[in-house]
């Protein structure tokens, strides 16, 4: 173990948020008993975690769909390594859902039985960077950055929560045969949410009526999540995690291609060069823009 900056905690080469990580969970990950019907949502930060947590909650919990129960999405699909509400994972009823930013090599060994499922949600790294920049300046427990330039340096060096984007996605993809894993992109969810929900249901072997699928899709839109306090985490950030100002939002813009409003031409070219070098021959499609504006 070694220490990285004030806000980060490096363990086995990977950066966690220091004050929130439950290090006993990470250190004992191999003893964590995985059940066959567990589902893990794995993401690099700012790639659509909360969105997928909400989609799973809507798929599985009728009370969540109908808004007759007021459990926050965070408790339906809690963060594995950041168990902020100290839920008793061992005694949670099945099926259990977890969200996690863990790299493949720190994931519970039990996931290698290939029965428990993993949804890996990824997003184009330029939009991840922009989302992360705003998030870091809003959330008190992350290191702020004065400019995109400064944040880009940290992002490319992996001096951020989650370490390097390139290593995270590559690692999971290259070890995909060790797991029962489905890759879905944020941009595909954005382009056609209904198809993405159906793809998730198929992977989870969950059959829903047309009507229920419609409700899931409707409640998982950006606008509906933004106005639903159970789903938008604004209160959790403000009251539990701590924010630097009142202007920020977990659900900030929810678009593809926002990087075009933030990167200079030079920054974009630099990023492209590094991307091409790091992701050479990487087969998953990365969508930079879906022409929605
Ligand atoms: P932006 O900051 O670009 O708006 P994570 O949950 O992994 O931290 O990712 C957060 C990002 O996902 C934010 O991106 C947020 O707005 C976006 N997001 C969350 N719910 C969404 C939805 N229903 N539709 C589109 N984007 C969503």
């Amino acid at each position: 173990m070694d220490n990285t900056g004030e806000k980060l905690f490096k363990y086995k080469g990977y950066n966690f948020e220091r004050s929130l990580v439950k290090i006993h969970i990470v250190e004992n990950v191999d003893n964590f008993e995985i059940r066959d019907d567990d589902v893990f949502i794995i993401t690099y930060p700012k790639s659509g975690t909360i969105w997928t947590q909400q989609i799973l909650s809507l798929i599985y919990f009728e009370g969540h769909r109908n808004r007759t129960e007021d459990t926050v999405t965070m408790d339906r699909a809690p963060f594995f390594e950041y168990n902020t509400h100290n839920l008793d994972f061992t005694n949670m009823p099945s099926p259990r859902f977890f969200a996690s930013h863990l790299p493949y090599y720190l994931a519970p060994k039990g996931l290698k039985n290939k029965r428990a499922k993993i949804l890996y949600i990824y997003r184009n790294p330029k939009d991840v960077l922009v989302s992360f920049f705003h998030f870091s300046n809003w959330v008190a427990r992350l290191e702020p950055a004065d400019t995109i330039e400064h944040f880009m340096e940290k992002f490319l060096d992996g001096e951020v929560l989650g370490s390097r984007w390139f290593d995270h996605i590559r690692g999971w993809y290259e070890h995909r045969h060790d797991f029962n894993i489905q890759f879905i992109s944020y941009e595909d969810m954005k382009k056609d949410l209904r198809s993405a929900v159906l793809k998730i249901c198929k992977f989870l072997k969950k059959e829903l009526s047309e009507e229920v699928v419609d409700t899931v899709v409707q409640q998982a839109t950006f606008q509906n999540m933004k106005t639903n306090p159970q789903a938008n985490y604004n209160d959790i950030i403000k009251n539990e995690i701590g924010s630097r100002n009142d202007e920020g939002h977990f659900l900030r813009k929810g678009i593809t291609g926002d990087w075009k409003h933030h990167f200079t031409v030079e920054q974009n070219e630099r990023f492209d060069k590094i991307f091409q070098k790091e992701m050479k021959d990487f087969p998953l499609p990365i969508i930079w823009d879906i022409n929605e504006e």
Side-chain angles (χ1 to χ4, degrees), residues 43-51 53 101 123 127 130-132 134-135 186 190 193 220-223 225 249-255 258:
T43 58
Y44 182 84
K46 312 320 293 169
S47 301
T49 326
I50 189 177
W51 196 3
Q53 285 171 297
H101 295 320
R123 185 180 191 186
D127 281 329
V130 168
S131 178
F132 213 161
H134 290 284
F135 192 64
Y186 174 100
K190 215 37 226 174
L193 185 52
T221 60
F222 184 79
Q223 283 72 19
M225 282 180 60
H249 293 283
F250 212 113
L251 272 78
R252 189 185 59 91
K253 268 195 183 172
I255 61 167
D258 196 30

